[in-house]
């Protein structure tokens, strides 16, 4: 039966014969973590001169993950082993303590890789490309050693882990943005929860006082100062928002969340977007033919078009005094009339572009919802001179 042996220092000389053909590791710290399982922290230089067997896949070379891991090894070798590990199965493991803070010499007979082929491959390639030996020595890697019946258990659990892993998304990184964190704190001070993280319970705003980052992003993409049509179009769907969030240093993202973004402006944008969507939703209800389906198919475009007639430069400002925008009055008393006028103008411009009244599925889904059509429709809307009710505009 395979077993793990822990030998006292006085038996060191007799326990590691010169003819031993297995792997010998000098570990800074060795500890037992369960039956037939040990953890050892070793310098990466000890893992590069071995012909490894095992692993479900070979080294994947220039995969995105390996490229990033290689860059880490070259630039910051001391951080290479901060996360991750190499898991080795073995026929037998012998540990000889050195008496230095839990360190020891680990003799591994018949090692095979259960997990860590890519990490080992990165090390081997870096050595072949001339990475200095001292850099490898500075990189401490956790090696888990498994023997006996634990080998099949660990191998099975490692295989299953690929199915259980929840991959990270761009939304998961939003809480690392100082501007988003600042807005979260501002909302919290006002008794509103700004739900940014995936997995958070999302209650409707007004009941549990919750604002979601998805709705905020869609609204700000239309109404933030400097917003562009292509960003508003992208932010209307989950995939587009994810792409927007992924480029946190990009112009589009910086339009939505930046140093000037304030909770009060986010709240205004969401309330305006909800109002506009509600109005065009009622306008399109029950109208199944002609050009009125535009209101049901692209309410985000209506939000964008209404935004072009609002004083958006003041969105994130706490206006007071003469000349300041009274956003509460605007939303309560003026926004619905303005929205009706803009929505009718969009429909009329649509009718000019498509006078035959096409309303088939192909048009509604493949064209009306596309960015190209949004651009064409907005140009026609402006050229036709079809605007919202003048009285409503003058009172803003």
């Amino acid at each position: 039966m395979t077993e793990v042996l822990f030998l006292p220092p006085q038996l060191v000389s007799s326990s590691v014969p010169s003819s031993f053909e297995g792997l010998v590791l000098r570990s800074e710290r060795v500890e037992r973590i369960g039956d037939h399982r040990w953890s050892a922290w070793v310098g990466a230089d000890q893992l590069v001169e071995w012909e490894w067997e095992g692993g479900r896949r070979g080294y994947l070379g220039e995969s995105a993950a390996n490229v990033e891991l290689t860059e880490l090894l070259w630039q910051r070798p001391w951080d290479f082993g901060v996360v991750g590990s190499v898991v080795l199965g073995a026929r037998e493991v012998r540990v000889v303590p050195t008496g230095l803070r839990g360190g020891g010499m680990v003799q591994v007979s018949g090692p095979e890789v259960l997990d860590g082929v890519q990490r080992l491959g990165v090390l081997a390639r870096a050595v072949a490309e001339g990475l200095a030996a001292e850099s490898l020595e500075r990189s401490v890697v956790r090696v888990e050693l498994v023997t006996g019946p634990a080998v099949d258990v660990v191998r099975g659990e490692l295989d299953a882990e690929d199915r259980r892993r929840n991959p990270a998304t761009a939304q998961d990184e939003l809480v690392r943005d100082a501007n988003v964190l600042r807005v979260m704190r501002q909302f919290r001070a006002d008794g509103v929860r700004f739900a940014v993280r995936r997995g958070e319970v999302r209650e409707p705003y007004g009941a549990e006082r919750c604002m979601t980052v998805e709705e905020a992003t869609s609204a700000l993409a239309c109404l933030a100062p400097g917003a562009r049509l292509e960003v508003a179009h992208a932010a209307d769907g989950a995939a587009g928002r994810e792409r927007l969030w992924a480029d946190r240093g990009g112009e589009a993202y910086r339009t939505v969340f930046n140093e000037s973004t304030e909770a009060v402006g986010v709240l205004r944008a969401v309330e305006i977007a909800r109002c506009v969507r509600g109005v065009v939703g009622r306008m399109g209800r029950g109208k199944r033919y002609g050009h009125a389906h535009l209101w049901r198919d692209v309410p985000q475009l209506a939000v964008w078009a209404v935004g072009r007639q609002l004083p958006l430069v003041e969105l994130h400002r706490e206006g007071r005094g003469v000349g300041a925008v009274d956003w509460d009055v605007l939303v309560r008393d003026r926004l619905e009339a303005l929205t009706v006028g803009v929505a009718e103008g969009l429909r009329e411009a649509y009718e000019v572009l498509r006078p035959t009244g096409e309303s088939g599925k192909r048009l509604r889904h493949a064209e009306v919802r596309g960015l190209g059509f949004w651009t064409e429709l907005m140009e026609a809307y402006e050229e036709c001179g079809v605007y919202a009710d003048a009285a409503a505009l003058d009172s803003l």
Side-chain angles (χ1 to χ4, degrees):
M1 177 179 175
T2 303
E3 59 181 341
V4 178
L5 304 178
F6 189 89
L7 303 182
Q10 60 267 29
L11 296 181
V12 171
S13 59
S14 60
S15 63
V16 186
S18 59
S19 60
F20 177 68
E21 297 181 354
L23 178 67
V24 177
L25 301 172
R26 302 176 307 280
S27 177
E28 296 183 358
R29 187 167 87 253
V30 188
E31 62 184 28
R32 188 166 188 165
I33 58 175
D35 292 340
H36 306 285
R37 296 178 62 190
W38 292 75
S39 273
W41 283 260
V42 305
D45 58 306
Q46 301 180 57
L47 302 173
V48 295
E49 299 294 338
W50 190 265
E51 292 295 329
W52 296 104
E53 297 181 354
R56 289 183 297 171
R57 297 170 295 194
Y59 177 57
L60 298 180
E62 298 301 318
S63 71
N66 286 344
V67 168
E68 186 171 343
L69 194 58
T70 299
E71 185 71 13
L72 172 64
L73 179 60
W74 279 88
Q75 299 297 326
R76 294 182 285 117
W78 52 87
D79 290 335
F80 180 79
V82 168
V83 296
S85 63
V86 173
V87 184
L88 304 178
R91 289 193 303 272
E92 185 178 58
V93 173
R94 293 171 180 260
V95 178
V96 180
T98 62
L100 300 175
R101 297 182 180 180
M105 183 170 57
V106 184
Q107 182 182 357
V108 186
S109 176
E112 64 167 326
V113 182
L114 303 182
D115 190 48
V117 169
Q118 307 310 313
R119 190 170 292 268
L120 293 169
V122 165
L123 289 171
R125 173 166 290 190
V127 170
E129 293 176 350
L131 182 66
E134 54 266 27
S135 293
L136 285 175
E137 292 173 0
R138 297 179 70 186
S139 177
V140 178
V141 178
R142 178 177 176 269
V143 178
E144 183 176 338
L145 303 163
V146 186
T147 65
V151 171
D152 288 336
V153 173
V154 171
R155 182 185 286 115
E157 290 305 310
L158 286 169
D159 292 347
E161 182 63 15
D162 286 339
R163 301 189 301 271
R164 297 168 181 160
R165 186 174 289 113
N166 293 307
T169 69
Q171 183 176 349
D172 298 334
E173 297 298 317
L174 290 178
V175 292
R176 308 285 173 84
D177 185 332
N179 294 313
V180 172
L181 284 173
R182 177 172 48 77
V183 171
M184 290 174 67
R185 295 186 186 107
Q186 290 173 351
F187 271 125
R188 188 181 305 120
D190 291 335
V192 179
R193 184 163 56 87
F194 188 31
V196 173
R197 299 176 180 86
R198 289 190 303 156
E200 287 185 285
V201 176
R202 282 154 158 74
E203 298 291 344
Y205 175 74
E208 296 295 327
R209 299 279 288 174
C210 175
M211 180 75 62
T212 71
V213 73
E214 293 90 346
E215 190 173 20
T217 300
S218 293
L220 288 171
C222 292
L223 302 169
R228 305 195 314 275
L229 180 60
E230 58 268 28
V231 179
H233 178 268
D236 194 30
R241 287 191 294 270
E242 187 71 12
R243 289 191 298 271
L244 178 70
W245 295 331
D247 186 17
R248 289 197 288 140
E251 180 183 356
Y253 180 88
R254 298 278 300 164
T255 298
V256 176
F257 294 114
N258 55 61
E259 290 77 7
S260 299
T261 305
E262 301 288 338
V264 64
V266 176
L267 178 58
R268 287 167 180 164
V270 169
E271 289 183 339
I272 290 169
R274 287 182 177 178
C275 178
V276 172
R277 287 175 176 271
V279 171
V280 297
R282 291 192 296 272
M283 292 174 68
R285 192 174 300 151
K287 298 179 177 63
R288 301 180 59 84
Y289 304 102
H291 299 83
H293 69 83
L294 178 75
W295 299 327
R296 297 191 301 273
D297 286 351
V298 288
Q300 180 83 341
L301 179 58
V303 178
W304 163 265
V306 168
R308 308 291 61 78
Q309 302 186 43
L310 296 176
L312 298 182
V313 70
E314 303 290 333
L315 183 70
H316 293 292
R317 298 175 183 172
E318 286 280 11
R320 293 184 178 86
V322 179
V325 177
D326 191 331
W327 288 94
D328 291 335
V329 172
L330 188 156
V331 173
R332 183 182 66 245
D333 299 337
R334 309 299 185 188
L335 189 58
E336 181 170 352
L338 175 61
T339 300
V340 170
V342 170
E344 285 289 358
L346 287 173
R347 186 192 60 77
E348 291 174 21
Y350 178 27
E351 197 167 18
V352 171
L353 290 176
R354 301 291 186 272
T356 57
E358 284 186 83
S359 59
K361 184 176 181 181
R362 179 193 64 79
L363 178 66
R364 294 185 62 180
H365 294 278
E367 185 174 353
V368 172
R369 297 182 181 181
L371 176 59
F373 181 78
W374 284 29
T375 303
E376 182 183 14
L377 182 59
M378 283 303 300
E379 290 175 353
Y381 172 74
E382 294 167 358
E383 290 173 2
C384 289
V386 182
Y387 296 103
D389 177 75
L393 286 175
D394 289 342
S395 63
L396 294 180

